[in-house]
Amino acid sequence: MEKYILENQESFKMEDIFDCGQCFRWNKQEDESYIGVIKDAVIRVEQKDNKIVFYGESECDFKSIINYYFDLETNYSEYKNKLSEIDEYLYQSINFGNGIRILKQDLWECIISFIISANNNIPRIKKIIERLSKTYGEKILFDGREYYKFPTPEALGRASVQDLRDLGVGFRDKRIYNTTKMILEKQVDLEKIKQLENTHLMRDELLKLDGVGPKVADCILLFALKRLDVFPIDVWVRRVMNDLYIHKEDEEKVNKKELQKLADEKFGELSGLAQQYLFYWKRETSA
C-alpha cells in the first residue's frame, strides 16, 4: 500500500471534486473518505485538517498518477481570483464550491461515461458504469475488496447491442456499441484528438461519435482534455444563467446560442470552470 500526503493544499475538497457532476467512479465511505478507480489503480482519499492523504497500489508511479489526475500543478487560486472579480454571483459560487478541481480523466472512459449520462441521473449513471466495469473490466483487489477497471475499447467491443441492453444502459445501447466500433476501427482516433490544440477541431472529432452531441462533447472536452474555454449547457446551467443574468419568465425559452454567447463574453477562457462553480452552487442550494 502506497501513501502520498499533501499538506496545506488550497482548492481541494473531496465533496466538491467528487460530487460536482464531473466523475462517476468515486464513492463516499462510512469513514468520510472516498474510494475511486483511476485507470489501473484503486485510490482511497481522506482529508483531515490541512492534510489530504492518498492510499493505493499501482504498477506506475503513484505520485505521478495523483498529480496528473487531480491536476495538482495548476494554481487554482489564480483562476478563482480572476473569476471572483467578474461579479458577485461568481464570488458566491466560488466560495460555496471553493474546493473544486477539474479532473484530468481518461478520454475513452469519459466518452462512454458521458454517453451514458444523457437523460440520466448520477446514481443510475454510477450503477451502469459499475456493471459495465464488472462485466468487461479487469478485477483489482484493494484492501480485501474487489474493484474493476473501466473496460478497454477491445473488451467493450466484445459486447453486442443486446449485451449492453441487458446491463441496463437503455436507449444508449446502440450508441455505445457504435462508438466503440468507431474507436476500434480508428474512424475517430483518440490519440490524434489529444494532440490537437484547437478546441473547435477537437469538438468536431468528438461529434462524429454516436451519442456525442454538443453538450456531451463539451463535457468530454472539459473533464478529459482540460479545455476550460468550453461551457457545457444542461438544465441546471440554463436555469442558473437565466436566474442570474437573463431573467426570462420562461427559462425554457433561453436558447443555447444565447447562453454560449453570454458565457464567452463574461467568462472567456475560463468558461468551463465558471460553469462548474455556478452549476454546483445552484444544484446544491436548490435542493
Side-chain angles (χ1 to χ4, degrees):
M1 181 78 70
E2 297 188 63
K3 185 178 181 180
Y4 177 33
I5 300 174
L6 293 176
E7 296 190 54
N8 302 313
Q9 175 70 41
E10 293 185 4
S11 306
F12 194 114
K13 185 178 178 184
M14 296 186 300
E15 291 85 351
D16 293 350
I17 294 169
F18 299 135
D19 296 337
C20 70
Q22 65 174 317
C23 56
F24 307 108
R25 299 214 69 197
W26 289 89
N27 294 295
K28 194 172 188 178
Q29 309 300 302
E30 290 183 2
D31 64 358
E32 304 296 315
S33 67
Y34 279 77
I35 293 179
V37 182
I38 306 175
K39 293 286 284 180
D40 298 338
V42 180
I43 310 290
R44 180 163 67 86
V45 188
E46 62 181 28
Q47 191 162 9
K48 294 181 179 178
D49 301 321
N50 65 339
K51 290 185 179 180
I52 304 151
V53 187
F54 303 89
Y55 302 90
E57 296 174 2
S58 175
E59 295 177 3
C60 303
D61 181 44
F62 187 65
K63 183 176 178 180
S64 295
I65 291 171
I66 300 299
N67 284 340
Y68 178 82
Y69 183 80
F70 289 98
D71 196 22
L72 293 178
E73 294 181 0
T74 293
N75 186 341
Y76 267 71
S77 294
E78 291 182 8
Y79 288 160
K80 290 189 288 189
N81 289 339
K82 189 172 182 179
L83 287 171
S84 292
E85 293 174 356
I86 292 174
D87 59 34
E88 180 65 22
Y89 304 128
L90 260 297
Y91 179 80
Q92 289 184 47
S93 69
I94 288 168
N95 278 345
F96 180 83
N98 188 54
I100 287 176
R101 300 187 78 84
I102 303 295
L103 301 173
K104 294 167 75 172
Q105 300 178 66
D106 177 71
L107 179 55
W108 155 249
E109 180 175 344
C110 201
I111 287 169
I112 299 300
S113 297
F114 277 93
I115 289 175
I116 291 168
S117 78
N119 299 315
N120 217 340
N121 60 62
I122 289 176
R124 190 162 182 271
I125 296 164
K126 284 185 161 189
K127 288 178 182 177
I128 292 171
I129 292 172
E130 194 57 35
R131 287 197 294 269
L132 276 181
S133 300
K134 191 171 184 178
T135 305
Y136 295 103
E138 292 182 33
K139 181 167 67 177
I140 317 173
L141 291 176
F142 176 78
D143 202 18
R145 294 180 59 186
E146 293 181 358
Y147 297 86
Y148 294 86
K149 301 177 188 179
F150 192 83
T152 63
E154 291 76 15
L156 198 56
R158 296 195 291 270
S160 67
V161 173
Q162 186 61 53
D163 291 334
L164 294 168
R165 187 173 300 152
D166 291 343
L167 289 173
V169 303
F171 67 89
R172 307 160 196 87
D173 49 12
K174 291 182 180 177
R175 294 173 180 178
I176 294 170
Y177 178 86
N178 291 337
T179 281
T180 302
K181 294 299 182 188
M182 291 177 75
I183 288 171
L184 285 172
E185 294 168 4
K186 298 292 185 183
Q187 295 178 46
V188 174
D189 191 321
L190 301 189
E191 292 307 312
K192 286 184 178 178
I193 289 175
K194 293 176 187 177
Q195 293 167 14
L196 294 171
E197 295 184 4
N198 183 283
T199 301
H200 296 294
L201 293 177
M202 285 180 166
R203 183 187 286 110
D204 288 344
E205 287 300 303
L206 291 170
L207 288 172
K208 294 176 182 178
L209 296 169
D210 196 2
V212 176
K215 187 258 182 177
V216 168
D218 282 349
C219 286
I220 296 164
L221 287 165
L222 182 58
F223 303 134
L225 297 164
K226 202 190 173 185
R227 309 306 294 192
L228 297 182
D229 52 329
V230 302
F231 192 75
I233 296 168
D234 67 359
V235 172
W236 285 105
V237 173
R238 182 177 65 188
R239 185 172 300 164
V240 69
M241 293 293 282
N242 184 57
D243 287 352
L244 300 182
Y245 302 114
I246 299 173
H247 310 302
K248 285 190 178 179
E249 189 171 337
D250 184 355
E251 70 180 45
E252 293 187 6
K253 291 183 178 178
V254 179
N255 64 63
K256 290 187 176 182
K257 286 185 178 180
E258 186 177 6
L259 290 172
Q260 187 65 61
K261 183 174 183 292
L262 178 59
D264 290 343
E265 291 173 351
K266 287 191 74 67
F267 314 133
E269 62 184 11
L270 295 179
S271 289
L273 189 54
Q275 185 262 18
Q276 278 295 279
Y277 288 124
L278 291 169
F279 166 87
Y280 185 56
W281 177 46
K282 182 66 173 180
R283 191 190 66 183
E284 295 300 307
T285 57
S286 296

